[in-house]
Amino acid sequence: MTADPQAKVMATRGIARDWRLGRLSFTFARSMPVRPARPAEPVLLPPAQMPRRGKGGSERNRIAMWHSLAHIEYVAIDLALDMAGRFGAAMGEEFVSDFLSVAADEAMHFALLDRKLRLMGSHYGALPAHSGLWETAERTAHDVAARLAIVPMVLEARGLDVTPPMIARVRSQGDENGARILTRILDDEIRHVGFGTKHFVARCRDERISPQKRWKSLLKTYFRGGLKGPFNDSARLAAGLSQDFYAGLAS
């Protein structure tokens, strides 16, 4: 419920550190909010109303790209915290540890991207952002398997596909600092997808259900728009997301 981005970063780092050092008890006495607090800016628009970002290398287009990434990482902080707080009591301490570490990573990613924007003469909130990311959390708030199937195993896994060409494009523009930021994010996201896949597969096996069949069923129910290729098969496999989950599903 911390809206200010910088304060959210610090609070997230603090709770992840306190959990790691044993300063927090495994107690879930309060319900998670339906929606997290949001700052007044950026203005949130439905995805269909978002301004189209050009593909050129102008400064305006570059700022728009980094702003979009910053918004994804800002929402990802809340997605990871909600995962730990909403489902942690039932899923156990390892689950909480994994997703609080994810939240701390996302906070660090956001801080890097916000600093990048400021060095470019902009800041997070200067442009509109789309409102669709949190809708996935609302649709899956009742079912940890659905949340794991969609957030780490679809949304974050898509980052594994699109980030390498983005790194190449940024590097071709002479932005080595930007390429290093994206490489760090990619490396961390492989681990994040791995956490999601690990806990999803374990839950399916506990229920004696095929993880691949269960994932495809949940995808059909909760994910709008279909999967988009091409896929970064090697990064997905490093995260435990083998081709037998998603082969043949690209729209």
Side-chain angles (χ1 to χ4, degrees):
M1 296 310 292
T2 303
D4 177 76
Q6 282 70 41
K8 184 183 290 291
V9 166
M10 297 307 295
T12 301
R13 288 174 172 173
I15 196 172
R17 181 178 59 251
D18 286 348
W19 172 263
R20 189 175 64 251
L21 295 175
R23 297 171 181 165
L24 299 177
S25 62
F26 187 72
T27 304
F28 298 81
R30 295 183 60 180
S31 298
M32 296 297 289
V34 175
R35 294 182 182 88
R38 289 281 178 260
E41 295 179 328
V43 174
L44 298 182
L45 301 175
Q49 295 181 21
M50 283 292 295
R52 299 187 74 84
R53 193 170 73 232
K55 294 185 178 180
S58 70
E59 187 73 359
R60 179 180 178 181
N61 285 338
R62 287 197 292 269
I63 288 173
M65 181 195 80
W66 291 111
H67 190 278
S68 175
L69 293 173
H71 180 64
I72 290 170
E73 297 296 335
Y74 178 82
V75 177
I77 299 171
D78 286 319
L79 287 170
L81 292 171
D82 189 79
M83 186 82 85
R86 187 174 300 276
F87 303 113
M91 294 295 289
E93 293 192 19
E94 182 181 348
F95 182 91
V96 173
S97 295
D98 287 346
F99 283 100
L100 287 184
S101 75
V102 170
D105 286 345
E106 308 294 19
M108 181 267 292
H109 298 165
F110 173 81
L112 290 172
L113 293 166
D114 186 52
R115 183 172 183 271
K116 175 74 172 173
L117 285 168
R118 292 180 186 280
L119 290 172
M120 298 175 77
S122 188
H123 63 278
Y124 177 62
L127 299 173
H130 73 79
S131 61
L133 289 171
W134 189 257
E135 292 175 4
T136 301
E138 294 182 359
R139 287 198 299 272
T140 58
H142 64 291
D143 184 354
V144 66
R147 178 71 65 84
L148 290 166
I150 304 305
V151 175
M153 298 175 70
V154 174
L155 300 182
E156 289 196 86
R158 184 59 181 154
L160 307 185
D161 305 329
V162 302
T163 304
M166 196 182 303
I167 292 170
R169 185 168 68 250
V170 166
R171 186 166 277 137
S172 73
Q173 295 168 350
D175 185 359
E176 192 58 36
N177 168 261
R180 285 197 298 271
I181 292 172
L182 292 173
T183 299
R184 174 60 189 270
I185 291 174
L186 176 62
D187 290 344
D188 289 340
E189 296 297 345
I190 291 173
R191 190 166 59 90
H192 300 174
V193 176
F195 286 151
T197 305
K198 174 184 72 175
H199 290 290
F200 179 81
V201 169
R203 187 166 182 87
C204 289
R205 287 177 176 164
D206 286 344
E207 297 175 355
R208 299 183 180 181
I209 300 171
S210 161
Q212 292 81 3
K213 290 181 179 178
R214 179 74 169 135
W215 185 75
K216 290 172 183 176
S217 173
L218 291 167
L219 190 72
K220 187 180 297 185
T221 302
Y222 294 104
F223 187 67
R224 299 166 183 168
L227 298 184
K228 294 180 174 62
F231 300 118
N232 184 348
D233 293 327
S234 60
R236 285 169 171 257
L237 184 59
L241 194 57
S242 54
Q243 288 188 29
D244 52 353
F245 277 95
Y246 58 87
L249 295 180
S251 58

